[in-house]
Amino acid sequence: MYNIAFPQMGDYCVPAYFLLSNILDANIIKAPKITNKTIELGFKYSPDFVCTPFKYTLGTMIECLDMGADTLIQYGGGCRYGYYAELQEKILNDLGYDFKMINLVIEGRINLRRINKLLKQIDSKYSKIKSIYYSFITLKMIKYMDEIDDFIRENVGFEVVKGSFEKLKEEMLIKFGNVKSYHELKIIYRYFLNKFKCVKVYKPDDRLRIGIIGELYTLMEPFSNYYIEKELAKNNIEVKRFTNVDYLFLRKSKRMKKYLKNNPYVKYSMGADASDNVANCQYLCENGYDGIIHIKSSFCTPEIGVMQVISKIAESYDVPIMFFSFDGQSSETGFKTRLEAFYDMLEMRKNK
Amino acid sequence: MDKVGIPRGLFYYYYGDLWKCFFDKLGVSYIVSPNTNKEIMDRGIKVSNDEMCLSFKVFLGHVDYLKDKCDYILVPRISNFGISNQTCTNFLGAYDIVNNLFDVNVLNYNIDLDKRETLKKGLFKIGRELGKSFLDIKFAYLYAMDKYKEKVKKDIEINMERLNSKNTKILIVSHPYNTYDNLIGMDIVKYLNSQNVDIIYCDKFDDSITSKLSKKISHDLYFKYSKNNLGAAIYSLDKIDGILFISSFPCGPDSLANELLMRKIKKPYVNLIIDGDMSFTGIETRLESFLDVIRRNACV
C-alpha cells in the first residue's frame, strides 16, 4: 500500500484529500501546516533565485517524506511552476530519499490519459468511472468553498461576535471532508450558506474596500502572505480577491479572451496570471475600490513585468496601490507597518 | 532620422542578422543601438522594475536610447514554437511592457505557433505596416531567410570544428543575449580567448538535434532555449573539458534548468551569475582557478 502526500495550498487540502482517499486504495498523508521550519528546510536545499513557491513546496515535501510518504503529487501552473516537479525530484533524490513523483500538470496542460496511467500504477483496482464521479464532486466542492470564501471576505471584518465566521468555516470544512455523495454536499452547502448569512454583521456605509491581486500561490496560501486578509479584516476592511482555484480552472480563459480584445493597456497574454491581473486591476479601479494591494513571491517573472503596467493603470484612475514581494524571510513587522500605513492613508483620503 | 530602431538586446541576438538583411533588401533605413555600455545599462535600470532580470533591464536601456532617434522601434513577441517549446516570460511580455513604459511607436509581430502565428506572417505584417508592396516583401523575406540560414549553417560548422580540436575546450552554457552582450558576457569570452582556450557556444548547435538530446536529462522541460542549452551540453559532453554557466540575475528558466544540469553531469563546471554591479576582478579570479582545475584534470 502506498503512502501518498501532496504539498498543500490554503484550505484546498480538504477537497484534495477527499478526492484521493475516495478514488485510491492508499494511505493519504495530510501534509503538516507550513511553519517557519518548513521554510527553513525549503530554503536550505533550493537553488538561489528560484521563486518562493518552489521553496515552500520543497520544504513541505521533505516534511512529508520524513512522516513516511513514498509517493508525492505535484501540480503545476502556466509559468515555471509547471517545471518544479522534475528538479524537486532530483534534489530530494540527491538528499537520499527514495520515492515516486507524480506530476499532474505539464506546461499548464492536464493530460488525462497520462494521469490515468500513473494512477493505475499506484492502485491496480482504480476505476475511471468512480474517479470521474468523485472529481465532479470535488470540483463542485471547490466551487462552493470559493463562493463561501468570497462571502466571508466581504463580511468578516464587520462581524459583531469576533471569530464567528472562522468557527463556522472550520465546522464546514470538517463536514465537507466527510461527504459521501453529491446530494449530501449540496445539502451541507445550503445549510452552511444560510448559517453564514445569519451571522450578525454591522457594515457601515463608509467602510474601506480593498482589492487584492497578484501571484496565485502567494494569494491562496495564507501563510506565505502573513495572513494579509486576516490583518485587513481586523481593521474593518472589506476585501475582494478574484484568484481562487475555481476561477483559475473554469472562468479565467473565457474572461481573458473577452478582455484582451481592443484593450488599451495589453495586447497579448503576458504569461501566467499577468494580464489577468491587469484586467482585475482595471475592474477594481472602475468599481470604486479605495485601494489595491498587489502581492507576489519574489522573482515571479510574469508579475514583475506587469507591475509597471498595473501601477500605470492605478495612476490613471487615481487609486492608491501597494506592492508587496514576499520571499519568506522578510520581517513580518516591517510588512505590518507598511500595511498599516497604507490603510491609514486610505482612511485619511476617504475622510477628506 | 532613421525609420526603424533595433534595440541590441534579447531578440537581436536571435534575429538581428535576419532583420538587417530584410530591411536592407526592403529599402528601409534602420539604426541598431550601439554595444551595451554603462550609460545604456544605467538608463535601463532607471526605467525598469528593480526585480527584473539584468538582460531585460539592458534591453529596456537600449529601447530608451533609441526612443527619440527613430520612428518605430522593433519589439516582437515570442510566445512559443509549438507544444513544449515555450520561451521565457519576458519574451512574452516585452511588447506590452515597452508599449506601456515608453511613448513610442512600436513595430511588432508575434510568434505563437500554437495559434499559427509564424515568423513569416510576422515579417509580412511588418512590411505592410511600413508601406511596402507584397512582392517587395516577398523578395526581401526570401533573400533574408536564405542569408540567415546560410549564416546559421556556417556558425554551426565553425563550432563543430572547434569541438574537434585538441586544445582545452570550454562549453559556455548561456543565452546568446548574455554571452555576446558587451557588459554581461563579452569580458568573460575575451578573457578566455586570451588564455588560449577554445570556446564552444551552446547556441550554435543544430536545434533539431539538441532539443531531442535534452530529453536524456530532462523529460518535462518545456523552455525551448533551455532545451537547446541542455542538448548542446549533452552533445559535447565527452569532448569538452569543462562547462561555464553564465546567467543574468535572476533568470527564471536558468534557475531550474541549469540547476538540474549541474546536478546530473560529472564534469567540472563553474556557475557565474551576473548582476551588473560586480567587478570583473572577482569573476577573473574564479575563472582563473577554474582553468587551473581543468588543466590539472587534463594532465592527470
Side-chain angles (χ1 to χ4, degrees):
Chain A
M1 197 142 126
Y2 285 95
N3 300 309
I4 303 176
F6 52 91
Q8 55 155 327
M9 184 170 65
D11 294 323
Y12 294 110
C13 52
V14 175
Y17 183 82
F18 166 79
L19 177 66
L20 288 174
S21 59
N22 272 308
I23 62 170
L24 289 177
D25 179 29
N27 183 20
I28 319 283
I29 293 174
K30 268 188 186 165
K33 277 234 171 332
I34 296 179
T35 58
N36 284 331
K37 197 188 139 221
T38 320
I39 298 170
E40 224 169 80
L41 275 174
F43 269 78
K44 199 169 165 191
Y45 299 114
S46 303
D48 284 337
F49 45 92
V50 72
C51 41
T52 325
F54 184 96
K55 297 169 181 173
Y56 279 79
T57 45
L58 186 71
T60 315
M61 282 176 174
I62 292 176
E63 281 184 336
C64 289
L65 287 171
D66 286 339
M67 282 166 72
D70 52 21
T71 309
L72 293 176
I73 295 181
Q74 176 66 293
Y75 33 81
C79 48
R80 48 177 158 157
Y81 202 140
Y83 186 61
Y84 281 3
E86 197 171 28
L87 183 59
Q88 281 175 334
E89 189 180 1
K90 179 71 190 154
I91 290 174
L92 292 173
N93 277 336
D94 283 354
L95 284 174
Y97 292 106
D98 185 28
F99 68 100
K100 194 172 156 169
M101 180 78 106
I102 295 178
N103 190 9
L104 294 183
V105 190
I106 294 181
E107 304 161 44
R109 288 162 222 254
I110 301 174
N111 187 343
L112 287 178
R113 199 177 284 170
R114 200 179 57 87
I115 294 172
N116 194 32
K117 225 178 181 176
L118 286 168
L119 292 181
K120 263 245 153 83
Q121 286 170 10
I122 293 178
D123 180 9
S124 50
K125 279 184 204 149
Y126 156 81
S127 104
K128 254 189 231 169
I129 294 165
K130 204 172 153 193
S131 71
I132 289 172
Y133 174 65
Y134 280 107
S135 307
F136 169 72
I137 296 182
T138 314
L139 278 178
K140 279 283 173 204
M141 191 192 287
I142 290 172
K143 193 178 169 215
Y144 292 153
M145 270 173 65
D146 287 340
E147 268 169 25
I148 281 178
D149 269 344
D150 280 344
F151 181 78
I152 292 176
R153 241 170 256 133
E154 274 172 28
N155 295 298
V156 69
F158 313 99
E159 56 191 2
V160 177
V161 185
K162 289 280 168 221
S164 40
F165 273 106
E166 209 179 317
K167 219 164 138 192
L168 253 182
K169 199 189 159 188
E170 264 167 33
E171 235 173 83
M172 182 190 81
L173 286 179
I174 292 168
K175 282 262 166 67
F176 268 12
N178 298 324
V179 162
K180 293 273 159 354
S181 65
Y182 176 51
H183 186 66
E184 199 186 333
L185 177 76
K186 228 161 140 184
I187 290 171
I188 293 175
Y189 165 67
R190 282 196 190 133
Y191 169 77
F192 274 99
L193 192 66
N194 258 332
K195 268 201 145 178
F196 273 114
K197 280 187 175 155
C198 291
V199 174
K200 266 188 191 161
V201 287
Y202 168 69
K203 260 185 168 178
D205 283 339
D206 61 341
R207 62 186 186 270
L208 278 181
R209 291 156 80 218
I210 289 182
I212 301 187
I213 53 178
E215 181 255 334
L216 64 104
Y217 185 89
T218 315
L219 278 171
M220 291 196 281
E221 170 55 52
F223 189 87
S224 71
N225 59 35
Y226 297 128
Y227 299 97
I228 187 169
E229 283 169 16
K230 267 189 196 165
E231 200 62 35
L232 289 173
K234 254 190 230 162
N235 295 286
N236 303 347
I237 295 168
E238 187 183 315
V239 177
K240 167 92 184 164
R241 187 185 96 189
F242 295 89
T243 314
N244 48 39
V245 171
D246 180 49
Y247 174 76
L248 292 173
F249 262 129
L250 302 173
R251 281 176 289 149
K252 188 183 138 190
S253 56
K254 215 175 181 181
R255 182 160 175 248
M256 283 325 294
K257 239 180 219 165
K258 219 165 137 193
Y259 178 77
L260 284 174
K261 262 185 197 163
N262 296 327
N263 191 280
Y265 296 103
V266 283
K267 188 172 167 190
Y268 301 114
S269 154
M270 289 166 78
D273 284 351
S275 22
D276 187 42
N277 277 328
V278 177
N280 293 341
C281 175
Q282 223 175 342
Y283 174 90
L284 292 172
C285 291
E286 277 165 5
N287 286 284
Y289 280 79
D290 297 299
I292 300 170
I293 295 177
H294 179 274
I295 60 176
K296 68 164 180 45
S297 59
S298 46
F299 305 135
C300 173
T301 326
E303 295 301 329
I304 291 168
V306 89
M307 267 161 79
Q308 277 159 321
V309 183
I310 287 176
S311 63
K312 189 183 164 193
I313 294 173
E315 209 170 282
S316 68
Y317 282 95
D318 196 24
V319 177
I321 184 159
M322 180 94 173
F323 294 100
F324 284 113
S325 183
F326 297 97
D327 67 353
Q329 287 176 324
S330 41
S331 103
E332 193 170 344
T333 334
F335 156 71
K336 276 187 181 157
T337 318
R338 286 181 66 197
L339 190 66
E340 223 175 282
F342 183 64
Y343 57 66
D344 278 352
M345 185 269 291
L346 290 183
E347 219 147 70
M348 273 193 268
R349 247 172 83 105
K350 192 139 198 167
N351 293 336
K352 222 185 221 174
Chain B
M1 199 145 105
D2 294 300
K3 207 141 192 202
V4 180
I6 302 177
R8 199 186 283 266
L10 298 189
F11 310 100
Y12 175 82
Y13 294 100
Y14 295 101
Y15 296 107
D17 300 318
L18 178 73
W19 291 340
K20 280 194 242 170
C21 271
F22 181 68
F23 288 137
D24 274 338
K25 197 76 185 165
L26 211 56
V28 176
S29 63
Y30 61 83
I31 170 178
V32 183
S33 55
N35 278 331
T36 315
N37 50 35
K38 197 74 196 149
E39 190 214 331
I40 286 178
M41 191 187 266
D42 286 344
R43 274 182 161 194
I45 289 170
K46 212 172 182 182
V47 291
S48 58
N49 186 325
D50 51 359
E51 270 185 273
M52 275 174 182
C53 86
L54 183 68
S55 318
F56 200 69
K57 282 179 186 169
V58 168
F59 176 75
L60 289 179
H62 283 286
V63 175
D64 194 50
Y65 173 88
L66 285 171
K67 71 182 172 196
D68 39 16
K69 293 186 177 62
C70 52
D71 298 335
Y72 293 98
I73 291 180
L74 180 59
V75 183
R77 170 193 189 254
I78 304 178
S79 167
N80 58 60
F81 296 89
I83 297 170
S84 289
N85 279 314
Q86 290 183 16
T87 54
C88 160
T89 333
N90 280 337
F91 282 56
L92 262 85
Y95 166 76
D96 284 314
I97 294 170
V98 168
N99 213 6
N100 278 294
L101 278 182
F102 301 98
D103 191 20
V104 289
N105 291 323
V106 180
L107 199 59
N108 164 255
Y109 67 84
N110 183 15
I111 299 183
D112 190 342
L113 291 192
D114 257 6
K115 289 178 186 154
R116 303 223 179 88
E117 302 274 353
T118 55
L119 177 64
K120 187 175 175 186
K121 253 190 196 171
L123 289 180
F124 271 72
K125 178 179 167 270
I126 287 183
R128 251 174 280 133
E129 261 170 50
L130 292 169
K132 298 291 171 188
S133 72
F134 180 79
L135 272 180
D136 281 349
I137 302 169
K138 189 157 188 180
F139 280 129
Y141 170 76
L142 289 175
Y143 173 79
M145 236 15 205
D146 240 27
K147 284 267 162 172
Y148 174 66
K149 276 180 188 159
E150 221 168 78
K151 188 170 178 289
V152 169
K153 219 174 160 185
K154 214 169 159 190
D155 279 345
I156 293 174
E157 265 169 29
I158 294 172
N159 218 20
M160 289 297 147
E161 242 169 59
R162 274 212 208 115
L163 197 57
N164 292 323
S165 82
K166 279 186 180 151
N167 209 342
T168 314
K169 281 161 293 186
I170 289 185
L171 175 76
I172 294 191
V173 175
S174 156
H175 299 287
Y177 52 80
N178 290 336
T179 324
Y180 308 120
D181 188 276
N182 202 30
L183 274 189
I184 300 177
M186 219 51 208
D187 286 337
I188 298 168
V189 172
K190 270 182 203 157
Y191 174 79
L192 288 179
N193 275 331
S194 73
Q195 297 294 312
N196 200 16
V197 172
D198 270 359
I199 302 172
I200 322 281
Y201 298 101
C202 71
D203 52 293
K204 286 175 179 162
F205 279 86
D206 193 347
D207 281 13
S208 52
I209 298 173
T210 48
S211 66
K212 263 181 214 155
L213 272 177
S214 73
K215 292 270 176 227
K216 273 190 190 171
I217 279 198
S218 161
H219 193 70
D220 295 350
L221 189 65
Y222 51 82
F223 299 112
K224 179 181 161 69
Y225 297 133
S226 296
K227 254 181 170 175
N228 290 350
N229 288 359
L230 296 201
I234 299 175
Y235 185 90
S236 50
L237 201 59
D238 301 330
K239 294 172 186 166
I240 51 173
D241 299 293
I243 298 184
L244 173 63
F245 293 95
I246 307 173
S247 42
S248 54
F249 180 84
C251 178
D254 274 4
S255 67
L256 298 170
N258 282 3
E259 177 80 17
L260 191 75
L261 184 58
M262 281 177 227
R263 282 171 181 271
K264 288 205 173 174
I265 50 168
K266 289 187 179 69
K267 276 267 164 183
Y269 67 83
V270 64
N271 185 18
L272 297 178
I273 292 156
I274 315 287
D275 69 352
D277 287 332
M278 237 173 352
S279 72
F280 186 66
T281 333
I283 294 174
E284 201 177 331
T285 320
R286 294 186 63 191
L287 285 176
E288 229 169 70
S289 53
F290 178 57
L291 288 180
D292 282 349
V293 169
I294 286 178
R295 286 188 176 133
R296 190 173 299 165
N297 271 3
C299 287
V300 169

